[in-house]
Amino acid sequence: MGLGVQALLAFSPIVVAGVLLVGLRWPARRAMPIVYLQTALIALVFWEVSFQRVAASTIQGLGLTIAILWIVFGAILLLNTLKHSGALTVIRSGFTGISGDRRVQVVIIAWLFGTFIEGASGFGTPAAIVAPLLVGLGFPAMSAVVIGMMIQSTPVSFGAVGTPIIVGVTGGLRDDELDARLEAEGSSWDEFLDLITSQVAITHAIVGTLIPLLMVIIMTRFFGEQRSWTDGLSVAPFAIFAGVAFTIPYALTGVFLGPEFPSIFGALIGMAIVVPAARAGFLIPSDTWDFAPASSWPEEWLGTLEMKLDELAESAGSHLGLVRAWVPYLLVAVFLVVSRIDEFGVNDVLQRVEISWTDIFGEAGVSSSLQPLYLPGGIMVMVVAISYFVLKMRPPQIQAALGESTRTLIGAGVVLMFTIPMVRIMINSGVNTGGDGGTALDSMPVAMANWVSDAVGDAYPFLASSVGALGAFIAGSNTVSNLMLSRFQFSTADSIQVAPSMMVSLQAVGAAAGNMIAIHNVVAAAATVGLLGREGLVLRKTIIPTIYYCIFSGIIGLVVLYVFSYSDVLW
């Protein structure tokens, strides 16, 4: 079987997923079981993988699924706890009196508050929270969704306290062979993941600094009365200031503290800097920009949601002040830091609770483990328990939060329980003997990488982030894109003899940018403001920042790898 045929077969599950999800608009819960079965059949028939290894890989994938769902549950439960206690409304209302200029509101509410929500909760929640708030403040529904989707870029690689890196990259890349290779170079998986995290954070910081300005420019160009780029550019000093206020602490946190914290700390520090500056009028234009009267808005801009600011305020309990409303998120930040710094000794205690299965069904290198207390999901469930008392909640409120979170979990679980096992089958497929004395085949991701390296060659790093974006566009998730494609990117780097860590970093960055055009996310955001059916109009605008992100991160990849001749422990 030639390399081209191998690559075609290996890539075909991703193609089928794209056709079913995007072309035929099937829900992922229907599409992914078919894609899983297709992958399993290709492994059994063409790669000659044993049924036992396919089954073991499936169990391994289900173990990773449980880890992701545990994090999702903790993140969504915390968000719903704040929602049903009224704390979320207090937090949102605290932003609304800062400035009447819509451009300033976008920078503070969408960019800073939205990135914090992404860092703490992930999974599309920023758009679901910010878009209705913007509509309540008087934004056209279409503009609110477009802006909400653009939030899902720079902070996404570290969304849901680092899930796309901790679970996505680890689950899509790590195996016993890589561990042995790293050990032979005097390194370890933890050090390699820290290296990837640092590179992701720095790349995002460079490209993402202009995202708040792009938010404003797209708003004034497509939704302003004058349809003007200039109206957006006039707020450039303030928008770039807000971008830097987030990206510098974001990058430093990624380099020194790890993948759980960059988006959370970047947003918290950014808000602490930018909000007082905005109140003082620092770098704010002298004119105040607003939309045209609502009566003149095109029908396509309008949704069915009607939410007034005073209604938001009334929904919050009068017993909550702004400081108390923020306590749960601050506790998450503190507890995560304490649990990740060795000197405190807390991590050792939390890691003692572990559920593991080594060499599943006797298949070497196919193992699974779960540390429920150490994973961010465990930390957030602890914070929810404390928040019940801090926020003075009543039993019906926490019951509503638990019920809503469980329903979200079930929806996500059906998709992931097929997607992640599919990925593990692909990764674990390189064990056959070639059959009838033939040449042994590499694993499916390696086969794809070898073909791409032959076809594109040294120019591939420019396309690496675009491949990650394509994965997110299809799967609707940075985490799933990383699970599907991290090994492919790593193997391609090996084939063209460049640093694998940088190529995987470009994958993670591109997958974050791809969330801006992910169909699932657009549909979810549109639904929050009653704009279903107009997703294509949203995509025509969010494709602009997505292209910007892919082009400039690709240029960074080329410069780092070829101009600076960067190499890591594996190359």
Side-chain angles (χ1 to χ4, degrees), residues 322-559:
L322 187 59
V323 174
R324 183 181 292 181
W326 273 100
V327 165
Y329 278 135
L330 295 175
L331 286 176
V332 168
V334 171
F335 286 5
L336 281 171
V337 171
V338 170
S339 68
R340 267 56 183 174
I341 296 177
D342 293 339
E343 285 72 15
F344 290 111
V346 176
N347 53 355
D348 289 335
V349 176
L350 297 178
Q351 288 173 345
R352 287 175 190 168
V353 179
E354 182 175 10
I355 304 167
S356 62
W357 189 352
T358 303
D359 295 341
I360 301 169
F361 298 149
E363 290 293 325
V366 183
S367 304
S368 179
S369 66
L370 176 70
Q371 297 174 323
L373 298 183
Y374 183 72
L375 283 171
I379 301 293
M380 287 184 282
V381 169
M382 291 184 226
V383 170
V384 167
I386 296 171
S387 300
Y388 176 82
F389 300 100
V390 171
L391 301 177
K392 298 183 179 179
M393 297 178 68
R394 298 185 301 276
Q397 292 174 311
I398 197 67
Q399 289 170 6
L402 281 166
E404 195 170 326
S405 303
T406 302
R407 288 190 293 273
T408 301
L409 190 72
I410 292 171
V414 172
V415 177
L416 292 174
M417 70 183 294
F418 291 101
T419 302
I420 301 176
M422 175 203 79
V423 172
R424 296 313 302 181
I425 291 171
M426 295 178 77
I427 290 174
N428 295 331
S429 61
V431 295
N432 64 83
T433 60
D436 298 326
T439 303
L441 303 180
D442 290 317
S443 66
M444 295 185 200
V446 174
M448 288 189 284
N450 289 337
W451 182 84
V452 169
S453 64
D454 287 349
V456 181
D458 292 345
Y460 179 76
F462 179 74
L463 301 176
S465 55
S466 297
V467 170
L470 177 62
F473 170 70
I474 293 170
S477 166
N478 187 339
T479 299
V480 176
S481 179
N482 288 346
L483 280 163
M484 289 194 302
L485 297 169
S486 288
R487 172 62 68 168
F488 164 73
Q489 303 276 20
F490 181 95
S491 300
T492 303
D494 261 357
S495 296
I496 62 174
Q497 302 181 2
V498 297
S501 64
M502 188 63 198
M503 201 77 89
V504 176
S505 301
L506 292 171
Q507 155 64 35
V509 170
N515 273 254
M516 292 187 279
I517 54 171
I519 299 294
H520 296 32
N521 292 341
V522 175
V523 170
T528 65
V529 296
L531 208 63
L532 287 174
R534 299 176 210 167
E535 293 84 4
L537 296 173
V538 174
L539 287 170
R540 291 178 194 175
K541 299 175 178 61
T542 58
I543 191 66
I544 297 171
T546 304
I547 291 172
Y548 156 77
Y549 229 101
C550 290
I551 288 175
F552 279 90
S553 57
I555 291 172
I556 289 172
L558 290 175
V559 170

Side-chain angles (χ1 to χ4, degrees), residues 109-453:
I109 297 172
W111 172 244
L112 292 173
F113 181 50
T115 54
F116 178 81
I117 293 296
E118 174 61 36
S121 300
F123 300 98
T125 52
I129 291 173
V130 170
L133 173 59
L134 293 178
V135 171
L137 293 176
F139 284 63
M142 178 68 71
S143 72
V145 172
V146 170
I147 292 165
M149 290 304 300
M150 290 181 67
I151 299 168
Q152 296 176 110
S153 53
T154 308
V156 171
S157 288
F158 304 109
V161 285
T163 299
I165 301 295
I166 297 170
V167 177
V169 171
T170 300
L173 185 58
R174 189 180 186 185
D175 57 19
D176 288 351
E177 181 182 348
L178 178 56
D179 281 347
R181 185 176 166 186
L182 288 165
E183 184 177 353
E185 297 293 336
S187 185
S188 68
W189 170 255
D190 289 340
E191 292 177 0
F192 192 62
L193 189 65
D194 286 343
L195 179 61
I196 292 171
T197 299
S198 299
Q199 292 168 175
V200 171
I202 293 169
T203 304
H204 266 310
I206 295 170
V207 184
T209 295
L210 293 182
I211 286 293
L213 178 59
L214 284 174
M215 285 179 176
V216 175
I217 290 174
I218 287 176
M219 178 182 69
T220 60
R221 172 61 182 83
F222 293 107
F223 302 100
E225 187 172 10
Q226 305 299 323
R227 302 293 198 276
S228 170
W229 300 105
T230 306
D231 287 342
L233 288 170
S234 64
V235 80
F238 178 75
I240 294 172
F241 164 67
V244 171
F246 170 83
T247 55
I248 289 179
Y250 166 96
L252 292 174
T253 303
V255 171
F256 294 107
L257 287 181
E260 296 94 342
F261 312 110
S263 295
I264 293 176
F265 284 6
L268 286 174
I269 295 170
M271 283 188 282
I273 294 170
V274 175
V275 171
R279 291 188 187 278
F282 181 67
L283 298 178
I284 302 292
S286 57
D287 63 313
T288 299
W289 188 90
D290 202 349
F291 299 102
S295 59
S296 67
W297 293 350
E299 183 68 25
E300 66 185 26
W301 291 8
L302 304 176
T304 60
L305 176 70
E306 292 185 4
M307 185 188 302
K308 304 300 182 184
L309 190 57
D310 56 351
E311 293 173 353
L312 289 173
E314 287 176 5
S315 70
S318 58
H319 62 285
L320 291 179
L322 187 59
V323 174
R324 183 181 292 181
W326 273 100
V327 165
Y329 278 135
L330 295 175
L331 286 176
V332 168
V334 171
F335 286 5
L336 281 171
V337 171
V338 170
S339 68
R340 267 56 183 174
I341 296 177
D342 293 339
E343 285 72 15
F344 290 111
V346 176
N347 53 355
D348 289 335
V349 176
L350 297 178
Q351 288 173 345
R352 287 175 190 168
V353 179
E354 182 175 10
I355 304 167
S356 62
W357 189 352
T358 303
D359 295 341
I360 301 169
F361 298 149
E363 290 293 325
V366 183
S367 304
S368 179
S369 66
L370 176 70
Q371 297 174 323
L373 298 183
Y374 183 72
L375 283 171
I379 301 293
M380 287 184 282
V381 169
M382 291 184 226
V383 170
V384 167
I386 296 171
S387 300
Y388 176 82
F389 300 100
V390 171
L391 301 177
K392 298 183 179 179
M393 297 178 68
R394 298 185 301 276
Q397 292 174 311
I398 197 67
Q399 289 170 6
L402 281 166
E404 195 170 326
S405 303
T406 302
R407 288 190 293 273
T408 301
L409 190 72
I410 292 171
V414 172
V415 177
L416 292 174
M417 70 183 294
F418 291 101
T419 302
I420 301 176
M422 175 203 79
V423 172
R424 296 313 302 181
I425 291 171
M426 295 178 77
I427 290 174
N428 295 331
S429 61
V431 295
N432 64 83
T433 60
D436 298 326
T439 303
L441 303 180
D442 290 317
S443 66
M444 295 185 200
V446 174
M448 288 189 284
N450 289 337
W451 182 84
V452 169
S453 64

Side-chain angles (χ1 to χ4, degrees), residues 22-47:
V22 180
L24 300 181
R25 296 189 177 183
W26 281 24
R29 65 179 181 274
R30 287 177 57 196
M32 294 317 297
I34 292 175
V35 176
Y36 164 78
L37 289 174
Q38 177 192 4
T39 305
L41 285 172
I42 290 172
L44 290 167
V45 175
F46 295 98
W47 259 258

